[in-house]
Every structure is written in structure tokens, then in C-alpha cells.
């Protein structure tokens, strides 16, 4: 919609509907996008302190590490639902497959080497550690996200083994 109907927009700001993002945080991500129209702006939450659900903290920290090792991207909140997406990047993302949390991961991967990521600290809002409502299914959504990393890792392994086999073949032929 933004690409077709808002030609002057620097991009779009997305915000999850689970009540975790204040109006001030959404506005600050929008302003950061306006000032930095070539950057993917992430409103990043702090997972330190009281009241943070354990599974949210653990899941995010684990996925941050895996994303860093497998993809080489350094971010502090992989599943933030508050993002400022530049217009040019939106054109690329139209072709990216995936939905929900899987798409958010694909977006980070797609940004690598093309769009710098700008992290903007935002207020971390959880109604309560026990009663926090989320659309994230810890098992099904984690499988979808880690399947992406597994696919990337298998491509790397295949490439490495193929290169090794080719090296050994060439070595054998030339020796």
C-alpha cells in the first residue's frame, strides 16, 4: 500500500499489536527512519531487569547468538515488532517469502550487506511476566525460524564440502 499510494514516504513503520510498543517509541522509530532513509531501524527492547518473561528473554538471547554465528548480523533484538523499513528495502521485501516471525527473520537476513541496521532503544512493556499475551508460539514459530538458519547452514556445509572435494580432485589430477 505504501509503495503504491504514498510516493513521498521514506518507508513504513510496523508495530506489533500486542501492546508492547508505546506511541512515543513508534514515533521515535518513524523519526529515525525519516532522518536515516537508507537504514532498517529496529526499536530494540532491553531484556534486563524485572518483569521480563523468561521465555522471551531466553528465546531472544539464543536467536541473537544464532543469527550472529550463522548469518553474521549483530542485533540485540531479533524479534522486535517495531521496525522502520526504508522504501527501497520494501521493494525488495515484496519478493521475500515467509509470514509473521519467519518473515521478520528473513528481513534481517535480506538486509545483510544491503541496508545498515540502526538500533533504537525503546521502552520494554510487558503487562506482567505471567499474563503477557503474545502471538508467538514457542514451538511452531521457533521451528520456522530455526529452519531458516538450518537451511543457511546446510548451504554453507554443501559449499564447503564441494570446494574441498574440488580441491582434492584438482590436487590429485595435478600431482
Amino acid at each position: 500500500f505504501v509503495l503504491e499510494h504514498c510516493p513521498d514516504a521514506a518507508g513504513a513503520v510496523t508495530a506489533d499489536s500486542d501492546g508492547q510498543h508505546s506511541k512515543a517509541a513508534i514515533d521515535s522509530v518513524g523519526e529515525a527512519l525519516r532522518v536515516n532513509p537508507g537504514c532498517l531501524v529496529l526499536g530494540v527492547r532491553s531484556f534486563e531487569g524485572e518483569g521480563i518473561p523468561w521465555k522471551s528473554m531466553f528465546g531472544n538471547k539464543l536467536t541473537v547468538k544464532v543469527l550472529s554465528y550463522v548469518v553474521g548480523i549483530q542485533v540485540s533484538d531479533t524479534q522486535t515488532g517495531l521496525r522502520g523499513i526504508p522504501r527501497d528495502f520494501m521493494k525488495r521485501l515484496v519478493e521475500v517469502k515467509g509470514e509473521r516471525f519467519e518473515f521478520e527473520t528473513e528481513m534481517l537476513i535480506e538486509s545483510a550487506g544491503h541496508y545498515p541496521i540502526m538500533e533504537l532503544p525503546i521502552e520494554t512493556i510487558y503487562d506482567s511476566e505471567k499474563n503477557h499475551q503474545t502471538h508467538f508460539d514457542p514451538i511452531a514459530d521457533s521451528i520456522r525460524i530455526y529452519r531458516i538458519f538450518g537451511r543457511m547452514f546446510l548451504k554453507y556445509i554443501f559449499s564447503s564440502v564441494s570446494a574441498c572435494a574440488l580441491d582434492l580432485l584438482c590436487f590429485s589430477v595435478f600431482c
Side-chain angles (χ1 to χ4, degrees), residues 144-159:
R144 288 184 189 102
I145 290 168
Y146 283 91
R147 191 180 310 152
I148 296 167
F149 297 141
R151 187 174 60 239
M152 292 184 74
F153 185 71
L154 288 175
K155 283 181 185 178
Y156 171 77
I157 293 295
F158 179 75
S159 172

Side-chain angles (χ1 to χ4, degrees), residues 38-171:
C39 292
L40 173 62
V41 181
L42 302 180
V44 297
R45 303 162 293 176
S46 170
F47 287 94
E48 307 301 322
E50 302 275 328
I52 307 296
W54 181 86
K55 66 181 180 180
S56 296
M57 181 174 39
F58 175 77
N60 190 66
K61 287 185 178 194
L62 178 64
T63 307
V64 162
K65 294 277 189 214
V66 173
L67 183 72
S68 173
Y69 291 133
V70 175
V71 185
I73 296 175
Q74 305 290 324
V75 296
S76 55
D77 188 354
T78 59
Q79 293 300 313
T80 179
L82 182 55
R83 297 173 183 221
I85 308 165
R87 180 179 201 81
D88 287 343
F89 192 26
M90 289 169 57
K91 293 174 186 174
R92 290 177 66 118
L93 291 174
V94 170
E95 304 298 322
V96 173
K97 294 185 183 344
E99 296 179 19
R100 300 170 30 103
F101 303 102
E102 181 182 11
F103 181 78
E104 291 176 347
T105 302
E106 292 283 9
M107 181 188 302
L108 292 173
I109 293 167
E110 188 68 25
S111 74
H114 302 287
Y115 295 91
I117 296 175
M118 174 185 197
E119 293 190 326
L120 189 66
I122 60 169
E123 178 184 13
T124 304
I125 301 172
Y126 286 101
D127 290 336
S128 76
E129 191 171 344
K130 292 182 180 174
N131 295 325
H132 173 66
Q133 298 297 315
T134 180
H135 297 103
F136 187 83
D137 180 322
I139 296 174
D141 289 325
S142 292
I143 289 170
R144 288 184 189 102
I145 290 168
Y146 283 91
R147 191 180 310 152
I148 296 167
F149 297 141
R151 187 174 60 239
M152 292 184 74
F153 185 71
L154 288 175
K155 283 181 185 178
Y156 171 77
I157 293 295
F158 179 75
S159 172
S160 298
V161 169
S162 298
C164 177
L166 182 61
D167 286 348
L168 290 172
L169 178 66
C170 288
F171 180 78

